[in-house]
Amino acid sequence: MMNNGLAIALCCGLLIGCASSDPYGYAPVAQRLQQDDALGDCARLFQVSDRLIDEAGTRDAQAPRVPGFPYRRADRVLAQMAAQSDLTVPQAQAWSATLAVLDATARRIELGNAGHDAAALTDALAACRQLLAWADQHELPALLGAVQVSDDYSIAMRALGLYPLTRYAFAAGIRSWQRDTLAEFAAQTATDPFAAMRRRYTVSESLAAMPTLLDLPELGLPVLTRQTLTSLILRHAPQLDIATVSDADQPGALVWRIDSDGRLRIGVALNQPVLYVRTSHAHFAGRWLLQLIYTAWFPARPPVHAYDVLAGRLDGLMWRVTLAEDGTPLVYDTIHPCGCYHLFIPTEQVQARPQTESIDENLFAPQTLRSLATHERVVLKIAAGTHYLQRVEIDVARPDHSVALVLRDDDELRALPLPDGGSRSAFTPDGLIDGSERRERFYFWPMGVVSAGQMRQWGRHATAFVGRRHFDDPTLIDRYFERLP
């Protein structure tokens, strides 16, 4: 058995933020650090700001810095665009500018969480970012090649865990879970034993804050007005039908609070029923499509017995909607914030691609769903305690006799207020939520997932124990489905 600290140490070189992947050790920034001019001064200013961030421990793992270009950051959507070989110069320039926007956003959050005067530093860094971008005009091919987002699997852990052999036992366990899930989905079509305990949650008809939408029409991303995006978010927000037997089954806002033992911890404010929302994109059938991701957080997953390795503080459910060009759903899928329990719920507009015979985790779709009428909404039936998805239903919009959920921007979690002032991200620099560890990490580490079961930040969700798969992979839906005429 390997302890969690050793596991993390072994795979640190493969994770974002580790010292061995210093983005200042590569060209062109490595050379500019040696220059005695404005470009050198700007490169050193970014290096100093990064030292301040790392010393304060406020590094944000959502989008990694680009090696050689640390004043730019990328996610898997932008990395997929970089993999295209036919970008025109104007397209590449627009793409490069978007990488700079990601860095400006993340760096402002990191410096603010570190307690520095983020406004003053941000202005100086913005001017330097612009100067460095001007100097990088002839470095576009190098920048395109440097943008690669590392996956969230550890080769070292898999090697030590004899992954080629041990994966067979884990694959058998996954098949068993899939059989249980199919039985649970089928059982929900009969009498529901938890019917009297269920509590319905419905989103309010407003947004507390608008989530960020990646603005890159030059490369085919859909262009939406603020009003249209708001309408789509409200239209496709799921209703939650939760079997409620304790406070652990009530969704709420993530907050920093001081526990009875005096420790600062992330908790869930039950007096603030919240559904967090963010946007992303999928590259499906040759087109870039909008995705909406909704997340509900729960205080805990209570133990079923004394040796329940899946139990622990904090739990949640993430629900994603991949939309066609006309705003209708094509595919739904869901995970827990640990990256676990990945299910797909396709609509009648798609069909599954033939899957090659493999031991790796592939498409698992326990249910399909018809298209919604205008007055209808998706309803997620959620189990008590485990918060497993039990079935997806379609019902009329029911704001009455339900608890109102406030929609909030998921990026708020990157800078939550502290009880004594200031702010801090809900996530550590490695993209995990401290205190949400599970005992399963001591058993699942041979599959290469660091601290399996622990809650994670967007962009850090590995969703397969056998094989490799990431929730934010923009090609994921296209891998499993094709559109019907």
Side-chain angles (χ1 to χ4, degrees):
M1 182 182 298
M2 182 188 302
N3 66 42
N4 194 46
L6 179 56
I8 292 176
L10 283 168
C11 68
C12 187
L14 301 176
L15 292 178
I16 295 164
C18 296
S20 60
S21 57
D22 178 13
Y24 291 90
Y26 303 85
V29 74
Q31 283 75 28
R32 288 177 181 152
L33 288 171
Q34 309 304 318
Q35 295 175 210
D36 188 18
D37 57 11
L39 286 175
D41 290 341
C42 280
R44 287 185 286 274
L45 180 62
F46 273 95
Q47 189 175 48
V48 167
S49 73
D50 276 322
R51 285 174 181 165
L52 292 173
I53 290 164
D54 289 332
E55 288 171 1
T58 58
R59 176 67 58 200
D60 186 272
Q62 187 162 296
R65 292 165 293 166
V66 179
F69 304 85
Y71 34 87
R72 289 183 171 88
R73 306 197 190 201
D75 56 19
R76 287 194 171 87
V77 169
L78 292 167
Q80 178 63 28
M81 291 177 176
Q84 298 176 219
S85 59
D86 57 348
L87 293 185
T88 65
V89 172
Q91 285 177 326
Q93 289 173 338
W95 169 86
S96 173
T98 304
L99 270 64
V101 171
L102 255 62
D103 179 71
T105 300
R107 206 169 287 272
R108 182 174 62 252
I109 291 170
E110 292 166 338
L111 290 168
N113 288 342
H116 295 287
D117 185 351
L121 272 171
T122 297
D123 289 343
L125 290 166
C128 275
R129 191 180 289 106
Q130 186 173 5
L131 180 62
L132 290 164
W134 172 83
D136 286 345
Q137 292 180 80
H138 302 295
E139 301 284 353
L140 274 176
L143 177 59
L144 286 163
V147 172
Q148 296 179 4
V149 179
S150 301
D151 74 18
D152 288 81
Y153 293 88
S154 166
I155 296 174
M157 289 171 68
R158 284 190 164 183
L160 288 173
L162 303 177
Y163 172 79
L165 299 177
T166 55
R167 63 184 177 138
Y168 287 95
F170 284 91
I174 291 162
R175 288 193 295 270
S176 176
W177 164 73
Q178 291 176 345
R179 288 192 295 269
D180 291 344
T181 300
L182 289 171
E184 179 64 32
F185 270 65
Q188 290 300 316
T189 62
T191 303
D192 182 1
F194 292 95
M197 303 179 187
R198 289 196 177 275
R199 185 176 298 174
R200 180 69 66 95
Y201 294 82
T202 306
V203 299
S204 57
E205 291 300 311
S206 63
L207 278 172
M210 178 66 72
T212 302
L213 180 65
L214 194 61
D215 183 19
L216 202 50
E218 294 87 350
L219 276 84
L221 294 191
V223 178
L224 301 174
T225 65
R226 182 184 181 91
Q227 181 179 2
T228 300
L229 180 58
T230 300
S231 176
L232 289 172
I233 289 172
L234 293 172
R235 172 75 178 90
H236 297 294
Q239 296 185 17
L240 309 180
D241 195 26
I242 306 172
T244 306
V245 300
S246 72
D247 286 351
D249 301 318
Q250 298 185 51
L254 288 189
V255 295
W256 283 108
R257 56 169 55 133
I258 298 176
D259 282 355
S260 56
D261 60 2
R263 290 187 60 186
L264 184 68
R265 290 178 181 268
I266 282 287
V268 175
L270 299 183
N271 63 338
Q272 302 177 49
V274 166
L275 192 64
Y276 292 95
V277 61
R278 69 164 46 251
T279 65
S280 188
H281 293 89
H283 197 251
F284 184 51
R287 302 288 296 274
W288 283 103
L289 302 177
L290 176 66
Q291 293 182 310
L292 304 175
I293 303 97
Y294 304 88
T295 305
W297 288 96
F298 301 98
R301 174 172 172 156
V304 176
H305 48 75
Y307 300 101
D308 187 350
V309 300
L310 304 179
R313 293 183 65 254
L314 295 183
D315 199 13
L317 186 73
M318 299 176 68
W319 176 254
R320 178 165 62 185
V321 189
T322 301
L323 299 174
E325 295 88 340
D326 62 358
T328 60
L330 292 173
V331 179
Y332 303 97
D333 64 328
T334 177
I335 58 171
H336 287 213
C338 54
C340 322
Y341 315 118
H342 199 167
L343 309 177
F344 293 85
I345 312 290
T347 71
E348 58 196 10
Q349 295 196 57
V350 301
Q351 66 181 8
R353 293 185 184 276
Q355 300 296 304
T356 57
E357 192 67 30
S358 171
I359 193 175
D360 290 353
E361 291 183 58
N362 280 316
L363 171 65
F364 177 51
Q367 183 186 349
T368 59
L369 211 62
R370 64 170 174 81
S371 298
L372 303 177
T374 304
H375 64 288
E376 293 178 324
R377 297 291 184 271
V378 164
V379 180
L380 310 183
K381 297 190 73 173
I382 299 172
T386 62
H387 310 125
Y388 290 155
L389 183 64
Q390 297 174 296
R391 191 165 181 82
V392 183
E393 297 181 345
I394 295 175
D395 197 359
V396 296
R398 285 176 23 180
D400 297 334
H401 310 296
S402 62
V403 180
L405 283 171
V406 175
L407 283 167
R408 288 189 183 174
D409 181 4
D410 192 66
D411 271 346
E412 289 182 10
L413 303 182
R414 299 165 77 185
L416 290 174
L418 291 169
D420 56 354
S423 63
R424 181 183 295 183
S425 174
F427 308 98
T428 57
D430 54 8
L432 304 173
I433 295 186
D434 194 27
S436 66
E437 297 87 350
R438 303 295 198 256
R439 291 180 185 173
E440 64 181 287
R441 67 189 188 276
F442 297 121
Y443 304 95
F444 282 70
W445 66 264
M447 299 300 99
V449 177
V450 176
S451 194
Q454 193 167 359
M455 304 299 110
R456 286 161 156 73
Q457 186 173 9
W458 175 256
R460 306 270 63 86
H461 296 108
T463 70
F465 284 116
V466 183
R468 290 172 183 261
R469 185 172 62 194
H470 294 85
F471 195 60
D472 61 325
D473 178 358
T475 68
L476 183 63
I477 302 299
D478 199 56
R479 183 193 312 175
Y480 291 138
F481 298 99
E482 57 188 5
R483 294 187 71 166
L484 293 171

